[in-house]
Amino acid sequence: VTVGPDARAAAAAAGRGDDRAPDRGPLIVYASRTHSQLAQVIRELRATRYRPRMAIMGSRQQMCVHKDVRALAGAAQNAACKARTQSRSCAHHNELEHFRRRQPDYGRDDPVDIEDLVKLGERGVVGGGCGPCPYFLSLDMYQQADIVFMPYNYVIDPAMRDVLGDRLDGAVVLFDEAHNIESVCSDAAGFDIPASHLAQAIDEAQQAFEAACMAEERAGVEGDREAAGLRWNARGKDVDDGYGGGDVGASLNRGAEGGADARSQPPRPAAEYKQLRALLLALEDRIAARVGRGGEELVEPGERLFELLASLKITEQTLEMIKSIATDAASLLAGEAAAIGRRSRSRASGYRINELAEALELAFRARRDGHVRNFRLRIGADESRGVHDASGSLRGTASSRGGVVGKGFGAGHGAGPTLSFWCFSPSVTMSHLAEKGVKSVILTSGTLSPMSSFASELGLNFRVRLENPHVVAPHQVWGGVVPVGPSGKKLNSTYRFRDTDEYKSELGNVVVNFARIVPDGMLVFFPSYGVMRACVEHWRNTGTPSIWERICASKHAVVEPSGKEEFREAFKEFNDALEVAGSNPAGGRNGAAFFAVCRGKVSEGIDFADKAGRCVVLTGIPYAPKADAKVRIKRSFLDANRQNNGNGNAGHGKGGTLSGEEWYSQGAMRAVNQALGRVIRHRHDYGAVVLADERFAHGNVRAQLSVWLRPAVQPFDTFGKAAARLTQFFKLRAGDRPRSADPTNAAERSRDGGGDGGARFEVLGGGGATGGATGGVTGGAAG
């Protein structure tokens, strides 16, 4: 979609003055979700003849190679970096200018990623020397680049977008893996302030006050110097009751310039940090008072936030001053942390007091830009714990970007409601790109359908829409809806059934049998971490041998962890098990199984090509919990918009506004399609998809599957028929792979039933099977 007038973009390109020749075309910004995905793209760039000037953007945390500064994090690392570069005491930063003179085209002949830049910084050009600073080298390369690779947040997050300067004017921005772009854009525009974060900010203001007092004492300065610069009482009183002095004459003389490190000004007086603490204490009280003693949830239009803030004298006129004091407080604490060489207390997130100032800026910016109607104010219980397990992408707003929630030390010790200012229209963020002069926006993903809802949500007119068939032939994909298990009990992962032992046992027997049939790697996806953990726990404790032991007899089983480091270990374990099975086919196991969740790490951005992903088993539809506050309010917001637009009965595909129910359903099905996409990764690949939930038999659900998969999916009325067809598919496809990579052997074929048509399957307790299967019940004890 073209979001800026061509004439303006052309004029901007002609007069940009950034040393790029006018005939080299616009800057291309290639954005993806993670750096690992960008590294994949850069590998593909190396395989082409295309050699543009390129750059890749990353954070100091990822790129710093200074032996002392790299040990810090967040604001402490930024402060230490700034101090060393200004004093020219960082050898890596000093080397940058010399390196760029020697190699002005670095990265052009051989495209580089972050790992390459870090190695260069650590070892130098030859090795053993001092290399240029990777962080500042990437910024320098960006200024000359024809194409720049970066994570989404550099383009979407307002604070990080400022790093890009005016080069977005006339640029072409491409979002890869864009199926999550709606939620990412909405989250970037809003924020949460949990009580624990506010309590931490109060504690940080107190620490800054104490540190400034000590500095004043050392300098022999009166403690109340310039205290009149911030005279107001957050409770509206005329006396200092701990919430500030009386007069409202707040000084804005530091507003724009602020900063304790500004060399032209003396350090900020300690009394101003005390007043900031008083203001935050008053905010804490007001938030708690709004929900009442019963803790009832409060949901109001976004404009009500500014009424609450105005009652504390937080307005457009005082905002700059408050931001300046908060920034100085964080800088003061970060400077102390850097000076004594300890890690920033708030880790990579920086300081809560800074986050609070950024949140206020986000809110007032939405108001200035006229977008407040797209926001809702919520004050209520913190639902962040456990919500991600079920709904995946609905968390990640300003307050949750930064990591671990620590102890609070404010008046309420962090026990209290969360204030949320939620954006429910991703068009707010996209409008900011248009303001920056971006010429075109391109969204790419295997799971964008239905595209009309994307256009509606993002508020952009996508004049070019392309939905392609898959690169593989029909015979390379098998799909089946399996509504019942081996004993004929139905498979349905709704709340009503999934907690029953009967369902978990039946699903376990489905996995046992498919683990025997499927060669090599098998991926089993659950709607949430909670459902996965409950099923695995049940399987480990049911039967003799247990269901889990029977799965492990055929596959080395790996369960997706939620932690980043643990995931790397699990992923390596899965791949190692595949190699062992391939090199020792007589060892008993025919591959490995990865148990994972939709919207998790396994389902997005990981390449399970060839034997790593021969089959995907989907055990349910990952609908977000309807009771979740953000889901409830989003649905209500969309329904109200639809009604107000006068198209309450119009489908979104005909130009109508997306309804709450349509958004809810489409979000779940996009997560389904993303998980199913793991099975086919290139044109020579092949694999199977098993939809183990009776709801997939409904036409309206199957209609929301990806276009390439729909023709391959066939419903079955019995488990035996599905197992027989799946066995036949893999026997026919066995010749498609090199025999050296094929773990299927005589022993495995005998386990699969030996004949051309049949598939034996196991059931834990009870009854034979019907339809197209031979052998009935084997090896199962009643559970």
Side-chain angles (χ1 to χ4, degrees):
V1 57
T2 299
V3 297
D6 290 340
R8 184 186 66 189
R16 188 175 285 110
D18 58 359
D19 298 328
R20 291 166 68 247
D23 60 347
R24 281 168 59 183
L27 172 70
I28 299 173
V29 177
Y30 194 110
S32 195
R33 293 178 61 248
T34 65
H35 273 292
S36 62
Q37 290 171 343
L38 292 175
Q40 268 186 301
V41 176
I42 291 173
R43 284 197 296 270
E44 294 298 327
L45 176 60
R46 288 177 183 141
T48 71
R49 298 175 62 185
Y50 181 42
R51 286 297 179 266
R53 291 181 181 270
M54 60 82 64
I56 183 167
M57 307 293 282
S59 65
R60 280 186 178 90
Q61 190 69 38
Q62 294 168 308
M63 292 184 161
C64 181
V65 293
H66 189 282
K67 60 184 179 64
D68 296 326
V69 179
R70 74 190 307 176
L72 303 171
Q77 186 181 62
N78 294 341
C81 176
K82 186 174 183 179
R84 289 188 177 275
T85 54
Q86 286 181 345
S87 63
R88 295 191 61 80
S89 59
C90 176
H92 299 282
H93 186 263
N94 296 341
E95 173 64 18
L96 177 61
E97 186 177 347
H98 303 298
F99 177 80
R100 290 300 279 168
R101 279 203 303 264
R102 293 195 305 268
Q103 296 197 37
D105 292 330
Y106 176 74
R108 188 168 188 178
D109 293 335
D110 187 16
V112 296
D113 59 20
I114 285 182
E115 185 177 347
D116 298 317
L117 292 176
V118 170
K119 287 180 180 177
L120 174 68
E122 289 175 336
R123 303 173 187 173
V125 179
V126 178
C130 176
C133 170
Y135 176 73
F136 285 101
L137 175 59
S138 70
L139 293 177
D140 192 68
M141 293 171 66
Y142 164 69
Q143 293 302 326
Q144 308 296 326
D146 299 311
I147 181 170
V148 57
F149 300 91
M150 61 183 68
Y152 282 172
N153 53 343
Y154 272 83
V155 184
I156 291 173
D157 188 290
M160 302 192 75
R161 191 165 54 232
D162 291 341
V163 175
L164 304 180
D166 61 358
R167 292 214 60 201
L168 286 179
D169 193 357
V172 174
V173 178
L174 187 152
F175 291 102
D176 194 12
E177 299 293 337
H179 47 278
N180 290 326
I181 198 69
E182 296 161 295
S183 60
V184 173
C185 285
S186 294
D187 288 350
F191 57 83
D192 295 298
I193 304 177
S196 57
H197 290 203
L198 182 54
Q200 279 183 288
I202 293 168
D203 183 46
E204 289 164 1
Q206 177 65 23
Q207 291 179 38
F209 168 68
E210 293 170 359
C213 283
M214 292 177 63
E216 289 177 356
E217 289 175 8
R218 288 194 297 268
V221 179
E222 289 294 327
D224 61 350
R225 177 178 60 80
E226 296 184 25
L230 192 65
R231 290 200 311 269
W232 84 86
N233 184 286
R235 289 177 164 181
K237 297 183 179 180
D238 294 327
V239 296
D240 186 350
D241 60 351
Y243 287 81
D247 193 359
V248 183
S251 169
L252 299 179
N253 63 324
R254 296 174 180 266
E257 303 88 5
D261 58 345
R263 299 183 180 183
S264 61
Q265 299 183 37
R268 186 176 294 280
E272 295 189 3
Y273 298 125
K274 180 183 178 182
Q275 294 279 18
L276 179 60
R277 178 182 181 275
L279 179 66
L280 298 182
L281 281 168
L283 177 61
E284 187 178 54
D285 284 351
R286 293 292 171 91
I287 293 172
R290 294 297 291 269
V291 295
R293 293 183 178 180
E296 299 87 358
E297 178 187 68
L298 175 74
V299 179
E300 295 182 321
E303 188 61 41
R304 293 296 178 87
L305 172 66
F306 303 97
E307 296 176 12
L308 184 153
L309 296 177
S311 71
L312 299 170
K313 299 182 176 63
I314 302 175
T315 64
E316 283 279 9
Q317 288 68 42
T318 60
L319 177 63
E320 286 303 317
M321 177 185 57
I322 294 168
K323 285 166 51 184
S324 176
I325 299 171
T327 300
D328 286 354
S331 297
L332 182 60
L333 297 177
E336 286 199 328
I340 62 177
R342 64 179 170 88
R343 187 171 293 272
S344 171
R345 183 173 51 77
S346 294
R347 299 176 175 85
S349 63
Y351 288 92
R352 299 301 183 197
I353 199 167
N354 237 358
E355 292 180 1
L356 189 60
E358 291 172 0
L360 291 174
E361 172 58 33
L362 275 177
F364 279 98
R365 176 171 183 169
R367 192 189 204 189
R368 288 192 297 269
D369 294 344
H371 294 309
V372 175
R373 67 184 182 279
N374 295 310
F375 288 77
R376 293 292 180 269
L377 169 66
R378 177 188 181 268
I379 301 177
D382 183 4
E383 297 189 348
S384 60
R385 290 180 178 85
V387 172
H388 179 80
D389 285 357
S391 62
S393 62
L394 290 178
R395 290 291 164 189
T397 50
S399 65
S400 61
R401 290 180 194 126
V404 180
V405 175
K407 274 190 175 181
F409 299 98
H413 300 286
T418 292
L419 182 148
S420 301
F421 189 62
W422 286 336
C423 175
F424 291 108
S425 176
S427 62
V428 171
T429 297
M430 285 297 168
S431 68
H432 293 159
L433 291 184
E435 291 168 8
K436 286 284 187 180
V438 169
K439 179 182 180 181
S440 296
V441 172
I442 302 171
L443 306 180
T444 69
S445 176
T447 50
L448 286 181
S449 297
M451 292 186 181
S452 54
S453 70
F454 261 82
S456 171
E457 283 273 84
L458 297 177
L460 299 176
N461 178 25
F462 288 88
R463 291 177 295 186
V464 178
R465 305 183 187 188
L466 179 64
E467 190 169 12
N468 287 323
H470 213 292
V471 294
V472 297
H475 71 271
Q476 293 172 259
V477 185
W478 182 92
V481 178
V482 183
V484 296
S487 62
K489 297 183 176 67
K490 68 179 177 181
L491 301 173
N492 187 311
S493 184
T494 57
Y495 289 103
R496 181 181 175 186
F497 299 103
R498 70 188 186 199
D499 288 332
T500 66
D501 289 346
E502 179 180 279
Y503 167 77
K504 287 181 277 194
S505 294
E506 192 74 352
L507 179 63
N509 284 313
V510 169
V511 176
V512 167
N513 285 279
F514 287 143
R516 293 171 52 249
I517 295 171
V518 175
D520 304 318
M522 182 172 77
L523 310 177
V524 183
F525 287 104
F526 295 82
S528 71
Y529 281 104
V531 176
M532 179 177 71
R533 290 166 184 153
C535 287
V536 171
E537 182 67 20
H538 177 81
W539 297 343
R540 283 174 169 155
N541 296 289
T542 301
T544 306
S546 69
I547 295 176
W548 187 253
E549 289 170 334
R550 291 157 59 214
I551 293 171
C552 294
S554 300
K555 303 279 189 199
H556 181 92
V558 179
V559 179
E560 178 183 12
S562 54
K564 188 175 182 179
E565 291 302 320
E566 294 87 346
F567 177 76
R568 288 196 183 100
E569 296 173 4
F571 188 59
K572 183 178 184 302
E573 180 185 348
F574 174 78
N575 286 306
D576 289 347
L578 285 176
E579 293 303 317
V580 170
S583 61
N584 184 24
R589 288 175 173 168
N590 65 354
F594 214 138
F595 295 87
V597 297
C598 294
R599 298 191 181 94
K601 295 180 181 65
V602 172
S603 69
E604 301 193 29
I606 303 295
D607 193 18
F608 290 93
D610 300 315
K611 69 177 183 179
R614 285 298 175 215
C615 179
V616 170
V617 179
L618 195 64
T619 66
I621 303 175
Y623 289 109
K626 289 186 177 181
D628 174 59
K630 204 165 193 180
V631 173
R632 283 189 288 106
I633 301 170
K634 171 78 172 185
R635 294 182 68 172
S636 175
F637 172 85
L638 290 173
D639 287 338
N641 274 1
R642 187 178 176 118
Q643 195 66 39
N644 292 338
N645 290 339
N647 58 352
N649 297 317
H652 64 267
K654 299 178 181 180
T657 304
L658 193 67
S659 73
E661 183 60 31
E662 289 166 342
W663 167 81
Y664 184 70
S665 176
Q666 289 173 14
M669 290 306 296
R670 284 201 183 100
V672 164
N673 289 325
Q674 193 64 23
L676 297 180
R678 303 306 95 194
V679 75
I680 300 292
R681 307 304 296 170
H682 59 83
R683 66 191 180 96
H684 298 298
D685 205 356
Y686 67 91
V689 166
V690 176
L691 304 173
D693 190 307
E694 65 175 356
R695 289 174 291 175
F696 285 107
H698 302 154
N700 63 326
V701 176
R702 288 211 310 279
Q704 296 184 67
L705 294 174
S706 295
V707 170
W708 66 270
L709 183 59
R710 286 177 218 160
V713 175
Q714 49 190 319
F716 293 93
D717 55 2
T718 67
F719 180 83
K721 292 178 181 178
R725 293 288 182 86
L726 183 60
T727 301
Q728 185 179 33
F729 169 78
F730 281 117
K731 286 184 176 180
L732 291 173
R733 298 280 70 76
D736 293 354
R737 353 169 234 188
R739 298 302 298 177
S740 60
D742 184 4
T744 309
N745 54 26
E748 180 183 4
R749 285 193 295 273
S750 67
R751 288 198 302 273
D752 284 343
D756 290 333
R760 294 173 57 214
F761 58 87
E762 298 183 17
V763 59
L764 181 61
T770 60
T774 62
V777 182
T778 67

